[in-house]
Amino acid sequence: MIETVVDAIAAPILEQLLKAGGAAAQDIKDTYGKVDAINKRLAASKRYEQRYQQRHGQIKIMPGLMKEAVPLDFIYTAIKLLDERDKRYFQTEQELEDLYRKVGQRNFQIGCDQRLDGMKIASQEQFLMVLGGPGIGKSTFLRKIGAETLKRDGCVGQGLIPVLIELKTLKESDINLTTVIAKEFEICGFPAATAFTLKALEQGKLMILLDGLDEVPKQNLNTVIECIENFVDQYDQNHCVASCRVAAYNTSFRRFTDVTIAEFDDDQIKQFIDRWFSSGLDQQEQTAEHYWELLSSKEHKATKELAQMPLLLTFLCLVYDRKQSLPPNRSSLYGKALNILLEDWAAQKRLERDPIYEGFHPELETELLADIAYSSFKDNQLFFAKDEITAKIADFLADTLDAPKHLDGTAVLKAIEVQQGLLVERATDTYSFSHLTMQEYLTALHVSRYWDTLANDLIKQYACDDRWREIFLLMAGILSGGGQTTLWHSLESAALARAKATPKVKALLEWVTIIINTKHKGLDTRASALMIASASASAIANARASAVARASTSAITITITSAITSASAIARVRAIDSASVRASAIARAIAIARAIDSASVIARASASNSARASIRASASAIAIDSAIHEQFFSTQNLRDLPHQLSLLISNIPGDTDSSTKWRQWANTLISTFTNGFDLTEEVVTLFPSDANALRDYLYITELLIRCKE
């Protein structure tokens, strides 16, 4: 007969109890009878393993969204722990702020590149305290340890029986862990369960998993902590793994090694997605690959940030699973994620809410967090001192009519940190939001609520500030009706104000209104035309460069290139395919102009060879694209441009010709190109102030199009 993992450990213990005699032996004999003792014992062991799998081997998060549970082994993603050596300490929040800016990433977990394998550490440590924020995977990790212990070839807990206890159930003032463990064996039919438990503990045969120290009712917390420490001291041959939210861990168990679960990195997110979408149909349709590609795109980099938390990654997978896409309105997605953290997660776990939440309803808490997010984001502040944030909380509560008057700023901060983890202590008395995405969404929420008051100042100050870009995009999804219309008009007015700041850019806009056909006056078509003008300006700047003026010319070229990039982005928004073709052709012409000024014969020869190929490609691209050009642009000169460029090919100077002849040819190239689009050299000869104004105009225009979409 093949024994189970549990039976292999239980059988010798029960035999010892039988030999010892007494009440336990009689209980065993009464239960097993005289005939089929082995079968009954094996049945009890099987029931124990089955019961563990039924209770702890299935994962069902957010029942309202997740229709049915999935096996733990099916979805489990290897946990990584933070290396204690990577923890850094800062004297002020400004030090942390400076380091974050230097790193230049959205991830607030600075200095966490070195990560350790969770299961490997669990196999090495006898007593382990697993710390982490809400939804980071602490409970799942403990359940996986138990599941591995039940495997014959498991990577942890060989020769042990796992017993998982949810500490939130320990509500009595008189707590006896031995009795709680014995109850687990008794339910599965083990005879003399108490005696069996004691003997197993004495021999060090149990893997005790204590989940959720932070979920213990407050009035019982000190009792439970004392009980665990005494229990471990008494039965120190066993293994014990406990878990607790890091913000609630105000003590340090003497014999436990403290470890902290890291947020998911890219490899873990991809592994989770691969396992989630692993059905036959998903593999056939390559669902996991498509979802990972979407989540990794620039457009969804803030959404991917939320995926670092397993709880929210599960939510995002459920959302994608329904429609095979992520909603274009990210603000709606983030709003649902915020509700999960504020309400759904605690409700699902049936946690007793902190007394501070009596009267402090989720809507009020959201308003408070939005107020903190906006004031800190406006001050360009991602990290803030504890005294500063508690003062902000106190001020908010004092100014809010329906806020409970008994609430204390420090207590509210602690409750938010423990219950939802939306505010996190990054260093001693220094806090930040859990994710920059959440701070941005809450900032947008605050701005939207006070939009009528804040609109003008925010648009004037931050329309060109890339740090505020995501805020405006999120507001576009939150605002409705008149608020949305105000946003569109305000951004368009801000763009025009930038353009009209210099005569040159104003003239370019007037040129655009003339050259573009009446039916195609959209912002995207304007951008395509302005991209041509910007590229021409860049070509002129480089072609006119001399050894003396090269440094100053390169500075304006960089600024103009930035304008071209912005215009290209707008063209891509509306998918005018010809825009990228024209841009490539112009870029090749500019590259030729840059090579002209060299006095080197070798350089001229290289320019001569590449010029023919580049101009031929430019002429061909414009010729092929002529139908689209004629559809959008109303210039007659454009029709003859491919022919004019072809003539230039035959007249390219040779490698022995003088620099003067090369410069004359470059001038002809530029004038031919500009004439084709009814441009004048005067209009496209831009100074730094012109280039900056054009760049700002195009940046705000592209932002406006994105907001509308």
Side-chain angles (χ1 to χ4, degrees):
M1 183 174 290
I2 300 175
E3 62 189 9
T4 70
V5 170
V6 173
D7 193 56
I9 302 166
I13 295 175
L14 291 170
E15 290 296 327
Q16 293 168 29
L17 290 174
L18 275 170
K19 292 177 181 178
Q26 188 59 47
D27 190 359
I28 294 170
K29 290 176 182 178
D30 292 342
T31 302
Y32 285 162
K34 296 181 178 180
V35 182
D36 55 349
I38 295 178
N39 286 340
K40 287 187 176 181
R41 186 196 70 218
L42 183 58
S45 298
K46 284 183 177 179
R47 274 198 302 272
Y48 185 84
E49 293 190 17
Q50 290 170 354
R51 183 170 184 268
Y52 186 94
Q53 292 296 343
Q54 290 167 356
R55 294 182 66 194
H56 311 306
Q58 300 287 318
I59 301 295
K60 188 173 184 180
I61 301 173
M62 296 170 291
L65 292 172
M66 206 167 177
K67 294 180 180 179
E68 50 188 48
V70 294
L72 173 64
D73 285 340
F74 174 79
I75 203 68
Y76 178 76
T77 300
I79 292 295
K80 296 182 182 180
L81 305 174
L82 298 182
D83 188 344
E84 291 296 311
R85 293 171 299 178
D86 276 335
K87 286 190 175 180
R88 304 187 182 192
Y89 299 90
F90 303 86
Q91 292 184 351
T92 66
E93 63 275 7
Q94 189 58 48
E95 287 186 45
L96 194 53
E97 191 95 34
D98 292 343
L99 179 60
Y100 172 84
R101 305 288 183 189
K102 182 179 179 181
V103 171
Q105 298 176 352
R106 290 178 63 91
N107 187 0
F108 282 144
Q109 287 196 22
I110 296 171
C112 302
D113 293 334
Q114 183 68 31
R115 299 185 177 200
L116 309 174
D117 180 77
M119 280 297 166
K120 184 176 181 181
I121 299 299
S123 67
Q124 295 172 348
E125 299 292 341
Q126 184 181 1
F127 303 115
L128 197 64
M129 175 59 73
V130 179
L131 303 172
I136 199 69
K138 301 181 297 299
S139 297
T140 303
F141 183 45
L142 263 63
R143 282 156 176 74
K144 180 61 176 176
I145 290 174
E148 287 295 314
T149 302
L150 288 175
K151 295 178 181 178
R152 292 183 180 277
D153 58 348
C155 60
V156 65
Q158 289 289 299
L160 302 176
I161 301 175
V163 182
L164 192 143
I165 298 168
E166 293 181 334
L167 293 176
K168 67 184 178 184
T169 62
L170 304 182
K171 299 179 180 180
E172 297 81 11
S173 57
D174 185 18
I175 299 170
N176 188 320
L177 280 180
T178 304
T179 302
V180 176
I181 295 170
K183 187 68 175 177
E184 293 289 308
F185 291 111
E186 182 183 348
I187 292 172
C188 295
F190 277 93
T194 300
F196 173 81
T197 300
L198 289 170
K199 182 63 73 173
L201 287 169
E202 289 171 5
Q203 295 182 6
K205 297 297 184 181
L206 298 187
M207 168 70 78
I208 303 153
L209 306 167
L210 305 174
D211 187 28
L213 181 63
D214 54 281
E215 298 172 4
V216 174
K218 272 192 174 181
Q219 66 273 16
N220 250 20
L221 184 57
N222 290 334
T223 302
V224 171
I225 291 173
E226 184 179 356
C227 175
I228 293 172
E229 292 211 300
N230 291 339
F231 180 84
V232 169
D233 286 340
Q234 184 176 0
Y235 300 110
D236 60 0
Q237 297 303 306
N238 299 273
H239 287 240
C240 185
V241 181
S243 72
C244 183
R245 293 185 181 182
V246 64
Y249 192 56
N250 297 321
T251 185
S252 181
F253 284 15
R254 294 187 301 272
R255 305 184 69 163
F256 283 67
T257 299
D258 297 342
V259 295
T260 304
I261 296 182
E263 290 189 327
F264 275 4
D265 57 23
D266 280 2
D267 290 340
Q268 289 170 292
I269 295 173
K270 189 175 186 307
Q271 183 187 358
F272 186 98
I273 291 173
D274 288 342
R275 292 190 171 190
W276 185 278
F277 298 105
S278 60
S279 69
L281 180 60
D282 283 328
Q283 291 183 27
Q284 178 182 333
E285 298 296 328
Q286 297 184 311
T287 307
E289 289 82 354
H290 293 320
Y291 183 34
W292 172 249
E293 183 179 349
L294 177 66
L295 201 59
S296 300
S297 65
K298 183 179 179 180
E299 181 184 355
H300 288 289
K301 65 179 181 180
T303 305
K304 184 181 174 186
E305 185 182 312
L306 296 182
Q308 295 167 354
M309 182 187 294
L311 170 63
L312 296 183
L313 176 55
T314 303
F315 162 67
L316 292 173
C317 285
L318 286 167
V319 170
Y320 186 81
D321 205 4
R322 288 185 170 184
K323 296 187 177 180
Q324 300 297 291
S325 65
L326 290 174
N329 186 349
R330 292 200 296 274
S331 57
S332 174
L333 187 69
Y334 299 164
K336 291 177 182 176
L338 180 64
N339 286 337
I340 288 171
L341 297 177
L342 289 179
E343 297 184 77
D344 298 350
W345 189 228
Q348 183 199 328
K349 299 194 80 176
R350 299 294 188 269
L351 300 182
E352 287 190 12
R353 301 281 283 182
D354 192 296
I356 202 169
Y357 283 95
E358 294 179 9
F360 192 54
H361 48 83
E363 291 79 8
L364 185 61
E365 185 176 1
T366 301
E367 192 175 343
L368 166 63
L369 290 168
D371 185 73
I372 295 170
Y374 169 73
S375 60
S376 54
F377 196 88
K378 191 171 183 291
D379 293 338
N380 199 11
Q381 188 180 19
L382 301 176
F383 301 90
F384 22 79
K386 182 178 181 179
D387 290 344
E388 181 182 354
I389 194 170
T390 52
K392 286 181 179 179
I393 293 172
D395 290 342
F396 174 85
L397 295 173
D399 293 339
T400 305
L401 293 177
D402 63 342
K405 301 306 177 187
H406 67 277
L407 295 182
D408 168 74
T410 303
V412 169
L413 172 60
K414 190 66 176 178
I416 293 172
E417 184 184 8
V418 172
Q419 295 284 350
Q420 300 104 11
L422 284 164
L423 293 172
V424 180
E425 188 174 22
R426 301 295 182 183
T428 305
D429 291 338
T430 300
Y431 287 77
S432 78
F433 279 88
S434 58
H435 299 90
L436 180 55
T437 299
M438 278 300 171
Q439 185 175 7
E440 288 171 337
Y441 171 72
L442 287 163
T443 299
L445 201 61
H446 179 90
V447 172
S448 301
R449 285 176 176 170
Y450 299 97
W451 180 234
D452 291 342
T453 305
L454 299 173
N456 290 334
D457 288 342
L458 286 180
I459 295 293
K460 287 179 182 178
Q461 282 186 268
Y462 304 118
C464 288
D465 189 338
D466 202 49
R467 198 173 64 88
W468 281 78
R469 176 184 174 83
E470 185 69 11
I471 306 298
F472 289 119
L473 290 172
L474 290 171
M475 283 165 50
I478 297 171
L479 292 168
S480 60
Q484 259 186 2
T485 303
T486 302
L487 178 60
W488 308 156
H489 290 166
S490 298
L491 285 173
E492 190 163 13
S493 297
L496 289 172
R498 297 297 202 285
K500 293 177 180 178
T502 72
K504 286 289 180 69
V505 179
K506 186 178 179 181
L508 280 175
L509 283 183
E510 291 172 354
W511 164 77
V512 166
T513 60
I514 297 172
I515 193 174
I516 296 177
N517 285 331
T518 307
K519 294 180 180 179
H520 302 283
K521 294 289 186 182
L523 296 174
D524 46 2
T525 317
R526 282 191 228 166
S528 298
L530 287 170
M531 182 160 53
I532 293 167
S534 301
S536 301
S538 183
I540 290 173
N542 283 283
R544 296 288 180 272
S546 64
V548 178
R550 185 174 291 136
S552 60
T553 304
S554 63
I556 186 172
T557 302
I558 291 171
T559 308
I560 296 173
T561 302
S562 176
I564 297 172
T565 303
S566 297
S568 301
I570 301 173
R572 286 195 299 273
V573 167
R574 291 295 187 185
I576 300 177
D577 298 330
S578 62
S580 59
V581 177
R582 291 194 300 273
S584 298
I586 297 165
R588 286 190 288 272
I590 294 172
I592 297 166
R594 285 177 175 168
I596 299 168
D597 197 34
S598 173
S600 168
V601 173
I602 296 175
R604 289 181 196 161
S606 175
S608 179
N609 293 331
S610 63
R612 286 185 177 88
S614 298
I615 290 296
R616 188 177 291 111
S618 300
S620 175
I622 293 173
I624 293 171
D625 214 20
S626 59
I628 298 176
H629 279 92
E630 289 176 17
Q631 178 185 356
F632 286 101
F633 302 112
S634 59
T635 170
Q636 294 297 318
N637 292 338
L638 189 58
R639 295 178 181 178
D640 195 43
L641 183 56
H643 174 67
Q644 295 296 327
L645 291 175
S646 297
L647 290 177
L648 279 170
I649 296 174
S650 59
N651 292 315
I652 292 177
D655 53 3
T656 58
D657 286 325
S658 66
S659 296
T660 301
K661 191 168 184 178
W662 270 92
R663 196 167 291 112
Q664 289 172 346
W665 178 83
N667 293 340
T668 304
L669 168 63
I670 293 169
S671 62
T672 299
F673 197 87
T674 53
N675 289 339
F677 286 93
D678 284 354
L679 285 165
T680 65
E681 185 172 326
E682 181 184 0
V683 170
V684 293
T685 303
L686 303 181
F687 296 103
S689 58
D690 303 316
N692 285 328
L694 178 59
R695 179 194 59 202
D696 289 349
Y697 169 81
L698 291 169
Y699 179 92
I700 300 173
T701 300
E702 192 262 345
L703 174 61
L704 173 56
I705 294 174
R706 292 285 185 185
C707 284
K708 285 186 174 183
E709 292 193 337

